[in-house]
Amino acid sequence: MVDMTPIRLTAAFLPVAVALATLALGACATEVHDEMPGRAQAAPPVSAQSGGLKTLRQIQAEENARPTPAPRPQPAPAPPQKLSDASQTPNKPPVRRRGSSSPPPPAIDQPATPALPSPGSTQELTDRAKRDLMSPEVDRLRTDDAMGRLDPLQQRDLLRKQQDLRQYGPGPLGY
């Protein structure tokens, strides 16, 4: 059996002792206050961290030991400010004020933005391309079927491919 001297024993358990001490200090820490809310806080430099590598359980324990900051009260929404007639947005016609005997000024006509044409559908082009790819094979199968060269499985394939061609619409010759 290997004889462990007190120096080797201390060196072997030093990382464990440091991790436990860090965990104990983290549990006793007071509430963390963010002095600059809204800004990311940088991690402490590596030289300031004590101990060696931490295990996942140690990191999770430290995360769970940290107190969660209390939610900050949200500021009350500001009351809407009244705008004068000149500062109103030009998109809305001005509203007649109560008690005013004069009619409201005429509404400003905004030119309508031109509507862009909707993009054309590519479905027709896609169907035509699929039909063009399938039609030579279907023509060959039809010729072989007319000559009696197809077995039942090839006839079934011919019927399926003809059905697919019908799905893509009539070809340039109308069939």
Side-chain angles (χ1 to χ4, degrees), residues 11-136:
F13 291 110
L14 182 63
V16 175
V18 170
L20 288 175
T22 305
L23 185 60
L25 286 175
C28 296
T30 60
E31 180 179 336
V32 177
H33 179 67
D34 190 5
E35 294 179 13
M36 293 179 154
R39 297 192 56 153
Q41 300 262 332
V46 176
S47 60
Q49 294 178 355
S50 60
L53 298 175
K54 296 181 181 179
T55 64
L56 180 61
R57 289 187 184 184
Q58 290 171 340
I59 294 171
Q60 288 175 344
E62 289 176 3
E63 293 287 328
N64 292 338
R66 290 184 189 158
T68 57
R72 295 181 182 211
Q74 296 292 331
Q81 297 177 353
K82 293 185 178 181
L83 301 174
S84 66
D85 288 343
S87 66
Q88 286 183 345
T89 60
N91 293 341
K92 294 184 350 185
V95 179
R96 184 174 177 178
R97 291 177 290 169
R98 287 187 175 188
S100 174
S101 60
S102 62
I108 301 172
D109 291 331
Q110 294 289 330
T113 58
L116 297 175
S118 61
S121 173
T122 60
Q123 185 67 39
E124 209 173 291
L125 295 173
T126 305
D127 289 348
R128 187 182 321 155
K130 289 179 181 178
R131 187 175 50 244
D132 289 345
L133 287 174
M134 290 178 64
S135 61

